[in-house]
Each structure stands twice: as C-alpha cells, then as structure tokens.
C-alpha cells in the first residue's frame, strides 16, 4: 500500500525531492481527483488526492522515484453544452508533466463520445494513452553559461531535430534524428563553420501523432500539435527510459552553449492537440475545459478557433496564463534555453476579436524577471480577424517579417514597382518598427521558412506540388511569389540551372547583408529540395530531411563567405536605423550614413523611386556613419560599402560615386560568379558592369 502524505499545492506537476514525489494538479470543477500510478506491465494503482487548496489537488508520495509513470482521473461535471467534459474513465496527462512516455494508439476509448451515437463514451482509455513520467531534476550543467549573443550579431538557423540529422553520415545511426544527434560534434562543427549563432528548433514540446495522418501512412513532422508544454518530445530521444530524454535535451543545450550557439524553441501556446469538440480527451479537456479553452459564448460545447486547429487556449484565465508562464520559465531556468519563437503569437494577445498590444499575456512577459530577458520572437499572424500584425508587437519583441520575405521574392523575380519597398526592407523596415522605439533587429528577416518552398524550390517551381500529402494538392499556399526560371521542376537545361544557382545566391546575399536578424532555413545553403512540396507538415521522410549525400558544395561555400562578410563588418548589422531616405546633398554637405544611387551614380529622386519599371539600384553604406559604440564604449567604424542590385535580365553598368564617398573601391562579392571573385580595384567615377539578376558588393577604406 503506497503511503500518502498531504504534500504541497506548489509547484504544480510531479516534483521529486530525493525522497519522494509531490503531485499537484489544478481543477476548479473537480469533485474528486485520483492519481494513477502504473508499473512496467501497465498495472494501475489509484490514489485519491487527499488535499485541495485554491482548487489545487495535491499529495506527497514517499518512495516514488524518477521513472514512475502516472496520470490523473478527474471526477466532475459532464455537460458539454455548458462546457464541462469531466469523465473519470479517461486517463489524463499531467499538464505539467516534465516527460511523457509512449504515444496514443487512437483506440475509440480516448474520445469522450461514441462515434456512432455521439453519446457519452465511458470506456477506460488508460491502456491506449501515453503516461506522464516523474523525472529527476538533477543534472551536471558544469560551467554552462548562456551565450547571450546580441540580436545584431545573431544569425538564426531554423532547423528540425530529425530533418537536420537523420541522414548525416558523420552521425552514428543510433543518434540520428535525436537531441544527441544535434549535440554531436559533426552537427555543432557544421553550424559554427556556417557562422550560425542560434539554432531555432521546430517544436520539441511533446506533441501528438494525428490519427488522420497515420491512417494515410503519414506523420506529424513539424510538431505543431502540442500536448505537453513542459516535456521534450520523446520521439526525438535516443533513450526514453525513466525520462532520460530530459537529460538528453539538457546535454544538447550544454553542448551547443559550449560552442557559442544559442537554442531557441518554436513554441505553440495558442492551441493544444485535443482539437475541436470532436477531438480526443487527453488532458486539459478532462481536467477543466472552461478554464483552459476559449469556448463559443452562449454555445459552450464548441471551441473558438483562431488557429485553424480546432481550439484556442483561453489566455484570459489566470490558470492558463500561469501554465504558459510557468512553462516558459521552466525551459529557461531548468533547460537553459535562450529564447522562444511563438507560433501564431497574435492568438495569445486576442481579447474578444482584436489583437491588443496591451493584453495580459504581454504584460506578464514584460514583468517577468526571467522570460523578459531571453529572445522573444513573434510569428505576427493568425487566422482571426485582423490576423496579420507585423510591426504591432511591444518593445521587447522581435518579429518574423513576412513583408521582408514577400518583397525580396518579388524583387528578384523581376516584379515592377518594387525598388522602394525593397530598399525599405533591406535597411531594417523602419516603417514597421521605428515608431514603437524598436531597433532594426526587431525584424527577423527570412526568405524561406519551414512553412513554404525551400530556397531551391523557390527558384524551380511556379506552382505547389503537394500531391504526396494526400489532400489532392488543395493544402498549402498557392501564392508563393516563386519563379521557376523557365521550366517547372527538375531540368537538364544548363542555362536555367545556372540562373537558378545565381538566384539562390542573390537571395542568400540579400538576406545576410540586410539590416535586421537573418534567419536561414536548414538545408537552403545545401540546395535542399522538397520536389515542389510547400507544406511538408506531414512528410516525416526523405522528402523533408536534408540529403547529406547530395549537397550543393558551391552554394554552401558561398553562404559561408557572405555570412563571414556580415560577421566581420558592423555596417551590415547596425543597432540603429539609418536616418531615413536622404534629401539631395548640396555642394559641400557631408556624406550621409546611407545614400541611394541610380546606376548612373546620381542620388535617387522621387521620380526614380516611383518608376514602376525600375529594377536596379545601388546603395552606399558609410562606414563612418554607424554612430554607435561597442561593448566597451568605443566608437564603431567600418569600411564603406557600395552594393549594386540588378534584378533586370540584362547587364547594367553602374557608375561609382565620386571620391567624396570613398577614395577607391574593391570588389568583394559578385553573385554572378560561383567561385571567389577577383579583388579588382576600381576608382571613383568608373563603371562596374553588374550582370543580369545579380548583386555586386564593393568595399572602400574609410579614411
């Protein structure tokens, strides 16, 4: 007979102290809560939690150690029309579980209703449910320190734990697709050689494999289907016994930190894997449905859906907010992660039907002494009314800049009337961020991300090709701003292959030399393709994994070169905005910190900016106009740079500006050239030919 002590109402979840484990769970509607302990054979012992304080049910069990599998059964009202869905026949995961063992086998018993009659289903779900696991909080972090890389020096690599490592021949088979695979020296060496300072991991919170996908022979690959906000996903661990995947995750973070690489988690606090009113009863729904979910007012059997996934977490209740904040703090303090990218962040700010910049969630983040000090990245859209909110987040936040993505894509595919917008985006999008007192690094710049075409496919396909997803090619975005360069898909045409290679270099150079924080999608620097599939959410296969046996070595070396150029020159990573579009200089006026020039070498006029046909421009970046100090208070200076952009299909001659700007220029980058460029010296006023659809970068000494 297990001994039961009263225990404590805090902290929530299962907390091991060296002698036993305290269990605590919140439910305002519960009439009785049972803790269910499971042995390795699946035998269950039910223990009624004896104490309830502030709607937190709790007990301490001496002798219960890490590795113990458990769950809860909640006795309470079952009235779906009123928003109550308690059913003690359903085993429930602990919302605060630090580890989860197993997956759902999708037996009908995991649902709260009968499929045929729609009446209440009282079958026991325990044999078909994953189990929460007690974990050890003890881990030797050694001298681990967060790198704390400033935003303006950050280069983000958006990666998938499995996709990045699954086929890498330098990683042992048993470690591929795991946290240990990310921690392997082969992965870390690759990231550091590439110039990456932060790896942004697609969701690693415990998520659910969708029954509908498994029936099609597919799997949830991206992981935007969270059920455990404190637990690292168990399928990404090489060892899951006794909750060891927690230790493996910590070891991964420690190894990355040793190499100076930060860990940012893509987190999904806007919804859970329980779906809509027809979804399974796995955790929150059976514990306290009205507290955790936003329900339709006046018809509480249905869920508000701002996410396209069936439900939305109710961030207007203190318990839901507490869970989110507790989770964020846990990943920072216990797992040592360095920041978060919030999926559909606008959802967390919704009050009624508006996105409120002063919502409770943002207030809590700003006030929190731990969460406010790490990197906070918002995906600034959701599917609700007024869903796209780029530029509207508070001061602590940075944002995925979808306008940057769209504009850069349009410019390089030769769309007209884009030069003005392009100029704004590559200089930090001051129109979006300056009004709220933010800096250029508020803009997380990207051309591609997990959701959409890879870089290789962006220049190879006009249309999506998602037939493999089993939805008749109806899924995924149809308006991609892509260009196949003349032939759809794979080709042997040498000219088209050369053009595609050049376009890939254009995109990477634009990304790395723009003001803001660049984010590179894993494998884009290697020429990774998904065969035109722009929605790989269900493709846990070679289609989405990096193919390490077939990489574009030339593109990889080019990416390393341009990333190094960015890291070595503060001109490309300013902490402050330029002074804005300059007025025309008078005779003897000082050279501004930035100057936009026509190919003829003259300052851009309003007519030049408004010319819809214009597809080329040049920008001068003044190395003496940075007007910033470094970490030690010394003024930052750099070389001058001249960047010539030509999105036209024809070569254009660019006349270099006068010696007021620089005494001489040297070519440092040319995207029309695959190999290293010859460092040709050019004098002021001379002409530089920029090939069609290419960038030329020149540097000049700052005297």
């Amino acid at each position: 007979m297990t001994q039961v002590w009263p225990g404590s109402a805090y902290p929530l979840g299962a907390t091991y102290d060296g002698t036993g484990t305290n269990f605590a769970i919140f439910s305002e509607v519960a009439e009785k809560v049972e803790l269910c302990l499971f042995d390795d054979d699946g035998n269950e012992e039910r223990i009624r939690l004896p104490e309830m304080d502030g709607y937190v049910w709790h007990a301490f069990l001496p002798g219960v150690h890490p590795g113990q599998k458990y769950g809860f059964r909640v006795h309470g009202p079952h009235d779906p029309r009123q928003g109550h869905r308690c059913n003690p026949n359903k085993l429930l995961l602990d919302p605060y579980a630090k580890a989860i063992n197993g997956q759902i086998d999708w037996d009908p018993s995991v649902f709260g209703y009968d499929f045929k009659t729609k009446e209440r289903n009282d079958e026991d779900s325990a044999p078909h449910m994953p189990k929460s696991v007690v974990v050890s909080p003890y881990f030797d972090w050694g001298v681990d320190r967060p790198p704390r890389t400033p935003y303006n020096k950050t280069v983000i690599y958006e990666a998938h734990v499995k996709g990045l490592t699954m086929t890498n021949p330098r990683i042992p088979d048993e470690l591929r697709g795991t946290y240990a695979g990310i921690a392997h020296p082969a992965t870390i060496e690759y990231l550091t050689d590439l110039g990456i300072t932060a790896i942004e991991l697609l969701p690693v919170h415990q998520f659910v494999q969708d029954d509908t996908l498994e029936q099609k022979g597919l799997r949830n690959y991206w992981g935007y289907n969270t059920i455990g906000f404190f637990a690292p996903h168990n399928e990404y661990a090489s060892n899951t016994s006794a909750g060891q995947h927690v230790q493996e995750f910590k070891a991964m973070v420690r190894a990355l930190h040793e190499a100076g690489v930060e860990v940012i988690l893509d987190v999904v606090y806007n919804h859970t894997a329980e779906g809509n009113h027809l979804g399974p009863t796995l955790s929150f729904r059976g514990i306290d449905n009205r507290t955790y979910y936003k329900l339709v007012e006046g018809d509480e059997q249905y869920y508000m859906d701002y996410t396209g996934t069936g439900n939305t977490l109710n961030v207007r209740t203190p318990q839901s907010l507490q869970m989110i904040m507790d989770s964020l703090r846990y990943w920072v303090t216990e797992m040592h992660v360095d920041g978060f990218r919030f999926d559909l962040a606008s959802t967390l700010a919704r009050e009624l039907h508006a996105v409120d910049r002063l919502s409770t969630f943002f207030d809590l983040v700003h006030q929190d002494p731990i969460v406010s000090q790490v990197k906070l990245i918002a995906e600034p859209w959701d599917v609700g009314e007024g869903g796209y909110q780029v530029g509207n987040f508070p001061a602590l936040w940075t944002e995925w800049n979808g306008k940057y993505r769209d504009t850069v894509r349009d410019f390089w595919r030769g769309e007209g009337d884009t030069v003005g917008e392009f100029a704004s985006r590559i200089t930090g999008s001051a129109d979006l961020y300056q009004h709220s007192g933010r800096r250029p690094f508020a803009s997380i710049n990207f051309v591609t991300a997990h959701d959409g075409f890879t870089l290789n496919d962006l220049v190879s396909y006009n249309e999506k090709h998602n037939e493999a997803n089993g939805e008749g090619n109806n899924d995924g975005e149809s308006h991609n701003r892509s260009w196949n360069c003349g032939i759809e898909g794979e080709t042997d045409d040498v000219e088209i292959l050369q053009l595609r290679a050049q376009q890939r270099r254009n995109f990477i150079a634009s990304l790395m030399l723009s003001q803001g924080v660049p984010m590179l999608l894993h494998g884009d620097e290697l020429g990774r393709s998904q065969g035109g599939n722009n929605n790989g959410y269900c493709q846990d296969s070679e289609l989405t994994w990096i193919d390490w046996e077939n990489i574009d070595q030339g593109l990889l070396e080019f990416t390393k070169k341009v990333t190094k150029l960015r890291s070595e020159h503060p001109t490309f990573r300013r902490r402050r905005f330029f002074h804005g579009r300059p007025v025309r200089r008078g005779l003897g006026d000082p050279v501004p910190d930035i100057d936009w020039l026509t190919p003829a070498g003259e300052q851009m006029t309003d007519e030049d900016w408004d010319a819809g046909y214009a597809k080329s421009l040049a920008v001068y970046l003044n190395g003496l106009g940075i007007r910033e100090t470094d970490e030690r208070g010394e003024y930052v200076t750099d070389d001058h740079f001249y960047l010539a952009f030509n999105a036209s299909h024809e070569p254009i001659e660019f006349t270099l500006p006068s010696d007021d700007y620089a005494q001489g220029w040297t070519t440092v980058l040319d995207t029309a050239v695959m190999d290293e460029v010859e460092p040709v010296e050019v004098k002021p006023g001379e002409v530089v030919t920029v090939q069609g659809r290419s960038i030329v970068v020149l540097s000049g000494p700052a005297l």
Side-chain angles (χ1 to χ4, degrees):
M1 186 74 178
T2 302
Q3 198 175 8
V4 182
W5 298 355
S8 167
Y10 185 85
L12 291 165
T15 307
Y16 177 67
D17 69 356
T19 62
T21 303
N22 190 82
F23 295 90
I25 181 173
F26 169 86
S27 177
E28 188 172 349
V29 298
E31 297 156 5
K32 180 174 77 172
V33 177
E34 292 175 305
L35 170 67
C36 309
L37 304 180
F38 295 87
D39 62 19
D40 291 338
D41 296 324
N43 300 310
E44 179 182 355
E45 179 186 359
R46 300 188 186 183
I47 299 165
R48 180 171 181 172
L49 296 183
E51 301 289 331
M52 188 268 285
D53 297 305
Y55 302 115
V56 176
W57 304 75
H58 56 91
F60 182 88
L61 275 59
V64 169
H65 299 291
Q68 174 66 60
K69 294 189 279 289
Y70 72 99
F72 294 104
R73 298 182 186 272
V74 175
H75 300 253
H78 183 87
D79 185 357
R81 292 187 178 278
Q82 297 301 315
H84 300 302
R85 295 180 179 267
C86 296
N87 186 341
N89 299 300
K90 308 303 173 188
L91 183 77
L92 304 173
L93 290 167
D94 181 0
Y96 280 70
K98 307 295 192 307
I100 292 172
N101 178 266
Q103 291 286 330
I104 305 164
D105 67 10
W106 292 111
D107 186 83
S109 62
V110 302
F111 293 83
Y113 63 96
D114 184 274
F115 289 169
K116 292 181 180 178
T117 66
K118 303 302 182 193
E119 298 297 319
R120 173 169 166 161
N121 177 347
D122 284 330
E123 292 180 77
D124 185 9
S125 67
H128 310 283
M129 280 286 293
K131 311 296 188 295
S132 308
V133 182
V134 178
V135 303
S136 170
Y138 307 114
F139 180 78
D140 183 7
W141 282 103
V143 294
D144 182 71
R145 294 178 60 195
R148 297 195 182 280
T149 307
Y151 269 120
N152 68 311
K153 295 182 179 180
T154 297
V155 178
I156 299 174
Y157 195 69
E158 191 197 27
H160 188 284
V161 171
K162 193 170 184 179
L164 178 60
T165 61
M166 196 61 190
T167 71
N168 192 330
R170 294 183 60 195
I171 298 174
D173 288 350
E174 66 273 15
L175 300 184
R176 295 182 187 181
T178 69
Y179 305 121
I182 297 281
H184 191 273
T187 305
I188 291 179
E189 181 186 320
Y190 178 79
L191 293 173
T192 52
D193 285 351
L194 189 55
I196 301 301
T197 71
I199 186 168
E200 182 179 303
L201 295 174
L202 264 69
V204 296
H205 288 174
Q206 185 71 37
F207 63 86
V208 169
Q209 291 295 341
D210 311 63
D211 182 38
T212 53
L213 293 178
E214 290 189 334
Q215 289 178 24
K216 298 178 183 177
L218 302 169
R219 286 171 56 81
N220 188 319
Y221 176 63
W222 288 348
Y224 292 96
N225 204 21
T226 307
I227 198 62
F229 294 106
F230 294 78
H233 188 63
N234 53 31
E235 293 180 306
Y236 297 155
S238 60
N239 181 6
T240 60
S241 60
Q244 283 301 304
H245 40 306
V246 177
Q247 308 294 326
E248 187 173 325
F249 184 93
K250 289 178 177 178
M252 175 193 74
V253 174
R254 184 179 62 193
L256 287 163
H257 282 182
E258 286 174 359
V261 179
E262 294 185 302
V263 180
I264 297 172
L265 302 188
D266 193 338
V267 290
V268 193
Y269 292 109
N270 50 70
H271 70 277
T272 78
E274 291 186 299
N276 63 14
H277 60 288
L278 298 176
T281 300
L282 307 176
S283 182
F284 312 93
R285 172 174 282 148
I287 294 170
D288 197 329
N289 190 54
R290 293 181 67 105
T291 291
Y292 284 112
Y293 292 116
K294 201 174 195 65
L295 307 178
V296 176
E297 195 171 339
D299 200 357
E300 279 81 5
Q301 66 180 311
Y302 299 114
Y303 295 78
M304 291 298 294
D305 183 11
Y306 292 128
T307 63
T309 60
N311 66 56
T312 304
L313 270 182
N314 187 4
V315 291
R316 303 186 76 180
T317 63
Q319 290 77 23
S320 289
L321 281 168
Q322 180 187 355
M323 182 189 70
I324 294 172
M325 297 305 298
D326 285 349
S327 169
L328 292 168
R329 280 190 291 267
Y330 173 79
W331 285 97
V332 176
T333 58
E334 297 297 321
M335 307 295 262
H336 287 209
V337 305
D338 305 282
F340 306 94
R341 178 264 187 187
F342 290 79
D343 179 63
L344 304 182
S346 305
T347 305
L348 298 169
R350 287 202 171 270
E351 304 284 350
L352 301 174
H353 292 286
V355 175
D356 183 358
R357 295 182 50 180
L358 303 177
S359 71
T360 309
F361 172 70
F362 290 136
D363 285 346
L364 286 175
V365 168
H366 277 238
Q367 294 167 14
D368 193 278
I370 293 169
V371 180
S372 64
Q373 298 308 301
V374 300
K375 287 183 168 68
L376 302 169
I377 304 172
E379 181 188 29
W381 53 87
D382 63 18
V383 299
E385 182 181 329
Y388 193 54
Q389 295 292 322
V390 68
N392 288 336
F393 281 75
L396 281 181
W397 291 72
T398 63
E399 303 170 24
W400 271 25
N401 190 346
K403 290 189 176 182
Y404 177 95
R405 171 200 61 199
D406 294 348
T407 301
V408 172
R409 288 185 179 192
D410 279 346
F411 180 79
W412 285 116
R413 69 190 179 115
E415 289 290 295
D417 201 25
T418 57
V419 293
E421 183 85 355
F422 179 75
S424 175
R425 300 297 155 237
I426 66 172
T427 52
S429 297
D431 59 322
L432 299 177
Y433 304 113
Q434 196 169 22
H435 67 277
S436 56
R438 287 187 284 172
R439 302 288 180 82
F441 50 70
S443 180
I444 306 296
N445 299 329
F446 66 105
V447 177
T448 55
H450 69 275
D451 188 3
F453 280 140
T454 66
L455 182 62
N456 188 70
D457 291 354
L458 185 68
V459 300
S460 304
Y461 295 91
N462 284 350
E463 309 295 334
K464 62 182 181 179
H465 297 268
N466 297 351
E467 289 81 7
N469 297 352
E471 299 179 44
N473 204 32
N474 291 316
D475 61 311
E477 177 60 58
S478 297
H479 184 46
N480 294 285
R481 293 180 160 88
S482 60
W483 178 44
N484 64 20
C485 298
I487 295 177
E488 188 75 356
E490 294 184 13
T491 180
D492 295 324
D493 189 299
V494 174
E495 288 188 6
I496 288 179
L497 290 174
Q498 288 177 344
L499 175 57
R500 288 177 178 177
Q502 192 163 308
Q503 286 285 71
R504 289 193 291 270
R505 295 194 293 272
N506 287 335
F507 281 120
I508 286 178
S510 299
L511 179 66
M512 292 299 169
L513 302 182
S514 293
Q515 305 297 322
V517 179
M519 184 184 78
L520 186 66
L521 171 63
H522 82 189
D524 273 357
E525 75 285 4
L526 302 171
R528 183 176 74 91
S529 172
Q530 293 179 174
N533 191 316
N534 72 353
N535 192 26
Y537 78 101
C538 59
Q539 297 294 336
D540 186 5
S541 65
E542 288 86 352
L543 184 73
T544 51
W545 305 338
I546 290 178
D547 180 3
W548 286 97
E549 298 290 346
N550 296 286
I551 65 173
D552 185 337
Q553 191 65 41
L555 182 60
L556 174 59
E557 294 306 317
F558 177 85
T559 307
K560 289 180 181 179
K561 181 169 66 175
V562 72
T563 306
K564 185 181 180 184
L565 185 64
R566 177 185 181 86
S567 70
E568 290 179 346
H569 292 282
T571 291
F572 299 115
R573 41 184 179 81
R574 296 166 58 102
R575 292 191 295 114
R576 291 181 171 85
F577 286 108
F578 295 102
H579 283 181
R581 184 184 295 180
V583 297
R584 289 193 64 82
R585 286 174 65 219
L587 191 63
D589 287 351
V591 178
D593 56 357
I594 183 172
D595 216 353
W596 295 100
L597 305 166
T598 67
E602 300 169 347
Q603 284 186 310
M604 296 275 283
T605 63
D606 289 343
E607 291 77 18
D608 295 321
W609 287 112
D610 296 336
Y613 57 84
K615 295 182 181 181
S616 60
L617 76 165
V619 60
Y620 164 82
L621 304 176
N622 188 340
L624 299 178
I626 299 175
R627 299 187 181 90
E628 300 170 10
T629 58
D630 62 15
E631 293 83 354
R632 308 221 186 290
E634 300 290 330
Y635 275 99
V636 176
T637 60
D638 195 9
D639 295 334
H640 305 308
F641 282 91
Y642 175 91
L643 287 72
F645 301 91
N646 179 18
S648 166
H649 66 282
E650 296 177 334
I652 292 180
E653 292 187 340
F654 282 74
T655 301
L656 295 176
S658 69
D659 57 8
D660 288 349
Y661 292 80
Q663 296 300 306
W665 297 97
T666 304
T667 307
V668 295
L669 191 76
D670 186 348
T671 62
V673 179
M674 171 63 83
D675 304 315
E676 287 283 334
V677 297
E678 291 290 328
V680 179
E681 295 187 4
V682 191
K683 295 178 180 177
E686 290 188 348
V687 170
V688 173
T689 301
V690 180
Q691 298 300 320
R693 299 190 177 97
S694 70
I695 305 169
V696 171
V697 180
L698 299 98
S699 69
L703 301 177

